[in-house]
Amino acid sequence: MAPVLSFTGRGLYCPAGDFHIDPLRPVDRALITHGHADHARPGHGAYLASEGAAPAIRHRLGDIRIETLPFGTRHRIGDATVSFHPAGHLPGSAQIRVEAGGEVWVVSGDYKTGADGLSEPFEPVRCHAFITECTFGLPVFRWRPQAEVMAEIDAWWAENRAAGRVTVLGAYSLGKAQRLLAGIDATAGPVLAHGAVEAMNAVLRAQGCRLPETLPLTPETRGRDHPGALVIVPPSAMDGAWTRRMGPVSTGFASGWMQLRGVRRRRSMDRGFVLSDHADWDGLNSAIRATGAERVFATHGYTEVFRRWLESQGYDAAVVEHGAERGAGLEDGE
Amino acid sequence: MKRFARLFDALDRTTRTSAKTAALAAYLGEAPEEDRLWAIALLSGRRPKRAVTAGKLRDWAAEHAGLPAWLVEESYPVVGDLAETIALILPPPQRSEERSLSGWMAWLETLRPLEDEARKAAIREAWDGLPATDRLVFNKLLTGGFRVGVSQKLVTRALAQATGIEEPRLAHRLMGDWTPATTTYDRLILEDDPQDRLSRPYPFCLAHPLEEPGALGLPGDWLAEWKWDGIRGQMIRRGGELYLWSRGEELVTARFPDFAPLLDHLPDGTVIDGEILAWDSAAQRPLPFAQLQKRLGRKTVPKKLLAEAPARLLAYDLLEAGGRDLRERPLAERRDRLAALLGGLPPEVPLGPSPALGFDSWEALEDLRATARERRAEGLMLKRAGSPYHAGRKRGDWWKWKLDPLTVDAVMIYAQAGHGRRATLYTDFTFAVWDGDALVPFAKAYSGLSDAEFAEITRWVRQNALQRFGPVRQVPPQHVFEIAFEGIQESPRHKSGIALRFPRMLRWRRDKPAAEANTLADLQALLRRHG
């Protein structure tokens, strides 16, 4: 019997339903876990995504043919049955369950197990085989509770307000930025959002996410007009020309990679906050246990090390070969 | 310890010197005296011998965290720092215990005599009592090494802010091989014990690199001499004893018994700044640096080596004569007194002047500089004739005008991730030259590219690695880099038969295909010319 999913040059493929999941190259039919660029790529004939993930995918990819499914709803494609389940990575982000020939496989997409107050919380799905990301699949990655990190950010912002500095916080524009907006005490001062962030704010607000009010950062924005402001920007815009119009600033960055001093120092930010939308070491291990799967495939991250660890824990473990390593410091990393 | 951990965090968090100085000054103003002394010691590189090997510590941490040792080993290159790796994997503490920095340093001493099992138990117990924030610092105390971008100058400045004592005076007091075991904060910093003063060297005056001497004004205002390729040293004769210090503030008297006879020839109260070299007395010039290097690794020197690579000090400057500090006198006057002093020595002593070079124009000096390699020098030093002997690196009076490096174009064949700040980038590369159809590795280099270039090459390595050997990636021989180096030596220990001095990447030759990189024969030709 053919496996439920096989690994091809185009990505994960389901022969029973003749579709791909998060394919790397253009295919006829693509099931997409979430809207980040390394999962939702342009050029596919037809898209299927969760209801909550579709607006961001549409926003980023423009005019595509996309159908949606509510979480938990079973849908038949050829000889396979698929359904989407919350992955907790960002609002609408999904794990995809595929059942064919009596066997169930689950593709995790990107996920985190801790609730972030904005995304639908991660839901363990029982399966025979689990394809798990492992971006932070080393025991050096362990997150502290979100509330503590948010309090740290609030305190840093307060310090900056007192010192007459504008606070510039770097965060990925889809997901992390909104999680921060929802998690900090946004009543403490004016909050500005860079164009890329503001666009995603609008998309998520339209689908019902409750986010505090933000002002757009424009070429006319001057720091002196917004004393004590917090500005949320994507990493690529952190040292753009606009910072010179802000007056004195303090810069910070929120990412799981900030766990490592080396990465923090290389970023040469004033502050690094450890806040990730991926599962940490304990999260990965507990999520895998909860699936009840015997076979586990590691992808996206420290795959070989993580595979060896899983094998030592009694799993039938393998690596999904994508040909490239992922690592800290890449702009598309998280 | 909490206070010191906070200081460490503050120093680590910022790259701004002013912020670091303020954090350290605040610490030095409020910490207990014994802790202050330890903080100064640790930040100026005076760390105690490590109490446990890195391998054992890693294994014990793995055991404590319930993880297999191989997994911790695999995590280490990602973090790039063992103390940090361990701090990150340990389970949450069981209780909270507060002990001062000096308390922990004393505790470290009690570990030394213990058997492994007892030492392991003591360390595991300590881990259980330490809050997560203190564990990194604690592990650093165990493994040694506090690289948080704090220079001696910064320590001195912070201490000056905290005590109100002038910087140059403090810089001098902090010199030498004191440890918190041999002195106290009061004695070292505040009282300046005369007994300690006897062996203490002056802070070395350091030079800035010079591109081009045109802007320096009249040649007649300057003294030029060779920039010798040895170890900077300070020879002190005081209180009937002879002391030799290296620039790294290491007392190396015992490693250079060659100089012992000078005790009889130098008057008491003499301090000379110079260059320690291995000397070819037949040719009256230095031996290659590699010869001197053989002597550096050893505490005691076998007779054979003493004969093969005898040491000589070429004197640059006279800092003290008749017990009087001459550093504020003009260089020209100090040089005259140095010449008089050295002129009275018998010819067989291993001490002579570093000669002043005559020149009447900058062009003439440039021609002279071009011959530096033949003299086994790295280039020239230019010193303003009227200048005092500064403490540390001060712009304007001392310049080093080095030779342009030798270069070859080489093919990158292996890449390895860096450490610390660069742990998640591939920054350490192995380079090869062609020998027929084969590539022969001949050098490793890890500096010279911009952050953006390292990021780009890292992406390329991730996508194109052919094979992995632990942390090392074999890559397709595709990228050519211009490798610069200061010297070239024959070396039977290397596959290529060649060893380079200070190799680094000068630029990424994107314009050159791998096939056009240099050959082993090219390297051998350089060796014949410059080796």
Side-chain angles (χ1 to χ4, degrees), chain A residues 133-147:
Chain A
E133 64 127 326
C134 56
T135 309
F136 292 110
L138 291 176
V140 294
F141 295 109
R142 270 181 301 194
W143 315 145
R144 288 187 301 133
Q146 160 165 321

Side-chain angles (χ1 to χ4, degrees), chain B residues 59 66 98 142 205 222 225 298 356 388 440 468 503 508:
Chain B
D59 290 350
E98 177 55 22
L142 288 174
C205 178
W222 295 84
E225 62 189 322
R298 315 168 166 268
V440 186
R468 42 193 296 176
W508 187 351

Side-chain angles (χ1 to χ4, degrees), chain A residues 243-262:
Chain A
T243 50
R244 286 194 291 277
R245 303 190 303 265
M246 286 295 122
V249 298
S250 178
T251 53
F253 194 68
S255 156
W257 296 111
M258 293 294 117
Q259 178 89 323
L260 304 179
R261 279 169 67 230

